[in-house]
Amino acid sequence: MTNTDHMPLAEPVSPREIPDAAIAMLDAQGTVVGWTHAAEQLVGYSAGEVVGRSAAHVLSPPGDAGRTSAFAEQCRAQGGWSGTVAVRHRDGRMLTMTLRISLLWGQGAATRWLVSGADIGALSSGAADGSVRESLLAHAPVGIVVRDLQLRCTWVNDAMESHDGIPRDRRFGQRLKDSLPGFEAEALEVVMRQVLESGTTMVHEYRAWPPAGRHREHVFSASFFCLQDADGKPLGVCSLSVDVTGNRRARERLAILSEASTRIGSSLDVMQTGQELAEIAVPLLADHALVDLVESVPFGVEPSPRTGTTSGRLPPLRRAGLASIDLGVLELPWAREEVRHAHPGSPFAAVLRTGRSHLEPVLDTQAGPWVDNDPVRAQKVRDSGVHSLMVVPIRARRCVLGLALFGRSEEQKPFQEDDLLLAEELVTRAALCLDNALRYARERTAALTLQRDLLPHRVQGGAAVEVASRYVPADMEYGVGGDWFDVIELSGARVALVVGDVVGHGLNAAAAMGRLRTAVRTLADMDLPPHELLAHLDDTVRRLSEEDADDPDQVPAVAGATCLYTVYDPVTRQCTMARAGHPPPAIIDPQGHVVFPDLPAGAPLGLGLGLVPFESVELELPEGSLLALYTDGLVESRDDDIDVGLHRLGAALAQPESPLEDLCSQVIETLPAQAPPDDVTLLLARTRALQPAQVASWDLPSEPTAVCTARRAAARQLSAWGLEHLVTTVELIVSELVTNALRYGEGPNRLRLIQHQVLTCEVFDGDTRSPRPRHPRILDENGRGLFLVARLCRRWGSRSVADGKVVWAEQDLFPTAAA
């Protein structure tokens, strides 16, 4: 047998690198006395060719006798050797092998040598048998026992005693079940008989309690080889045992962590995540587990980073998780949702301050200020039998989110450092889930706040319509999208109904929607006709997009939007509408007939197609008609044509007498069961009509006497309505408005009073120019009329009509409480 040039002090080779060990047994003089089938496969020599001959004569190249002799003396002096050597195969090629030479003892201090080796080339090829490699998968020492055909111990090495605590002198001549009685011995002897009968290598794991660790179970992996004599017949069985407890525990830890990755974080609820962490730890790691979160965390508020410093005040903790092998043991007030305070002198407080874990293998509940501060709880901990404790901080992004406590009572083995490492890994995984849940809660709160600010809190149709609405966002996580609706009360008892849709959903679309809704309300205050309002809105969207295009880091304000704008007048029952790429409204008459009016589509907003003007359509609606404005998410789907959706909508609305809230619910219930791919918005409005007695109108001559005529007519009408207390004020307002119409406008002129929720005074003239307040100097005689009107009424303004304009002013019918 010849080593390489660096052989005498070659680097040690871990036994884990031996895939299928070739085993040979030598006597004290180096003669082969036992051979294995694996050895024959490795070097090509059969048992008949090797047994009874010198190992050096068989395995060493010619001319190396001197070096081989020196190496043999080195092995005797050191009691064994391991390293890398070059061995010649029977066919003449050289093999680089890992070799391990171990000293065996027999009765009467007799000695023998066991040689185990493997081809490094086979190792690198990955052709190793996994089970055999597992049998050698441990650090030294390797326990070796050789048994005869009756399974009696004949040879053993010194390391074997450290495995099971049996001295070698008590082993000789004994079977395994005699020296180590129990189920494991029976099972191992069955394996050894199978090896003797088949001649193949087998591997078996068994448990034992070494002398140095009687309190802790160890797992050993034993590889069994059949030793053959010169005739190739079984001579005995050789076992190589290694302690794989560390590897076994590593596999168990990986299994726990793998299970944790599927069981922790199943939802974005921080309290649920805390409970999942507690449940995964029991009983895999601990007998009892508690999870406490900083009180602000369940409410989406991230704790201050100062929580983890020595100067920060300790925050209250809320119990989020609780698990135990016996919940009856935890008779403390440890229910979920409980708020508790950590005593400043307790290990819990120390973990909160430092952010470092605390391991107490043997729990001391007899001393310490935190025990004295809560003697009742301390006594209950003693009664529970918890004898070992770990406290691990739950940390995320430099903040301590809470604590996880693990205790043992039934399991007598105390927690050790490797248990703490596992607990920290579990908590780290849970902390990532908690951090995600915390961020989700914070963003969802912000999103819902944004939604509440952007959409109408309460829609009212005044005297013109009764309204109801529904909004179902596609982004259910954040609850906001790009759809919007609005009901805007206009002058003269009229009302504007608006539905719009910004492409996309989520926070960006919601922010863009908010900007458009604000723009529509601003334009509505100008009392523009629907087609003019959409033209101005189109310009606004294009300007916003151009501004965002100048900043490459800015998300475009609006990637595309549609809008339907409708104005209904309860005096004339006229409904004027225009749309910008939006689906047409549904109109249901009092008899339940459904129509979708032929309304010019118009171009979507912001596409730069302003050369194609928007068009308004005017319809007269019977009192009690139903208007349905909606977004395309209500009628479009991936599976059906839009006509199917329109028919479904019309069928659900063909019940005009039903309450509007019920109709809204019925329409939403017709949607497919799965989550909508787009936001769904529905706005229903049932029209009302003002009675003729609520409206009074007079044509006025284009001469100065018209002012006096208008004042007397208004005073008589107010008296007829029982509003005598408004006569003086209304006479002044009528005087100023009619005077301005005569002075600055053109005929014909007309006065109209409308009594609804407020009193509206309107003066019509033929001039299209809008009035504007002037700023007269002290000595100017004119220019104060509109300032006087503004002081006397609740609000005033003007709007364009087909043949001129209307200047109007509103008065409360009765004095308000503030007045």
Side-chain angles (χ1 to χ4, degrees), residues 400-416:
V400 177
L401 304 182
L403 303 174
L405 290 77
F406 306 96
R408 280 182 175 170
S409 58
E410 295 297 321
E411 172 62 63
Q412 294 304 309
K413 181 174 62 176
F415 287 123
Q416 299 179 358

Side-chain angles (χ1 to χ4, degrees), residues 482-620:
D483 287 8
W484 89 92
F485 64 92
D486 213 340
V487 180
I488 307 170
E489 295 187 53
L490 304 176
S491 64
R494 297 169 307 129
V495 66
L497 307 172
V498 192
V499 167
D501 184 1
V502 174
V503 173
H505 46 80
L507 292 177
N508 289 335
M513 171 268 285
R515 300 172 77 175
L516 290 191
R517 178 171 178 257
T518 301
V520 169
R521 276 198 161 262
T522 302
L523 294 171
D525 285 341
M526 298 171 62
D527 245 330
L528 298 173
H531 63 281
E532 291 186 21
L533 182 142
L534 291 180
H536 283 284
L537 186 62
D538 183 54
D539 290 339
T540 300
V541 172
R542 283 192 288 113
R543 284 198 303 271
L544 291 174
S545 299
E546 290 170 359
E547 292 172 2
D548 294 338
D550 295 336
D551 185 357
D553 298 328
Q554 177 69 33
V555 178
V558 183
T562 64
C563 183
L564 171 63
Y565 187 81
T566 301
V567 175
Y568 174 70
D569 187 342
V571 176
T572 63
R573 293 185 285 105
Q574 295 292 322
C575 183
T576 307
M577 58 189 72
R579 59 178 177 142
H582 201 85
I587 301 177
I588 302 91
D589 67 18
Q591 289 72 43
H593 299 134
V594 181
V595 296
F596 294 90
D598 185 14
L599 183 63
L605 301 171
L607 299 185
L609 302 178
L611 295 178
V612 181
F614 300 103
E615 298 182 46
S616 293
V617 169
E618 189 172 282
L619 303 172
E620 183 175 332

Side-chain angles (χ1 to χ4, degrees), residues 337-360:
E337 305 288 343
E338 173 208 359
V339 176
R340 69 182 191 88
H341 298 266
H343 187 274
S346 68
F348 317 119
V351 172
L352 278 175
R353 288 193 182 99
T354 64
R356 292 192 294 270
S357 301
H358 173 79
L359 171 63
E360 197 162 343

Side-chain angles (χ1 to χ4, degrees), residues 56-92:
H57 177 74
V58 173
L59 301 177
S60 299
D64 276 356
R67 296 186 63 186
T68 300
S69 177
F71 175 58
E73 291 299 326
Q74 179 186 358
C75 288
R76 292 188 183 95
Q78 297 180 353
W81 182 87
S82 66
T84 305
V85 298
V87 175
R88 185 177 298 278
H89 192 272
R90 188 175 186 278
D91 61 11

Side-chain angles (χ1 to χ4, degrees), residues 325-411:
I325 58 173
D326 180 8
L327 289 175
V329 172
L330 301 181
E331 295 180 354
L332 310 178
W334 280 355
R336 292 189 69 198
E337 305 288 343
E338 173 208 359
V339 176
R340 69 182 191 88
H341 298 266
H343 187 274
S346 68
F348 317 119
V351 172
L352 278 175
R353 288 193 182 99
T354 64
R356 292 192 294 270
S357 301
H358 173 79
L359 171 63
E360 197 162 343
V362 180
L363 180 61
D364 184 6
T365 58
Q366 304 297 327
W370 69 280
V371 174
D372 298 336
N373 180 260
D374 195 351
V376 175
R377 178 168 293 192
Q379 184 59 47
K380 289 187 175 181
V381 171
R382 298 185 195 106
D383 296 341
S384 71
V386 175
H387 59 82
S388 189
L389 181 71
M390 294 186 296
V391 186
V392 180
I394 303 174
R395 296 178 57 89
R397 292 185 292 119
R398 300 184 299 109
C399 294
V400 177
L401 304 182
L403 303 174
L405 290 77
F406 306 96
R408 280 182 175 170
S409 58
E410 295 297 321
E411 172 62 63

Side-chain angles (χ1 to χ4, degrees), residues 722-739:
L723 300 175
E724 293 86 350
H725 59 284
L726 295 179
V727 169
T728 302
T729 302
V730 172
E731 282 184 336
L732 288 173
I733 293 174
V734 167
S735 296
E736 294 299 334
L737 295 183
V738 172
T739 298

Side-chain angles (χ1 to χ4, degrees), residues 105-106 109 153 156-158 161 166-172:
W105 297 94
C153 177
V156 66
N157 72 339
D158 290 332
E161 183 176 349
I166 303 174
R168 68 184 184 212
D169 290 341
R170 288 175 46 195
R171 292 179 186 272
F172 297 128

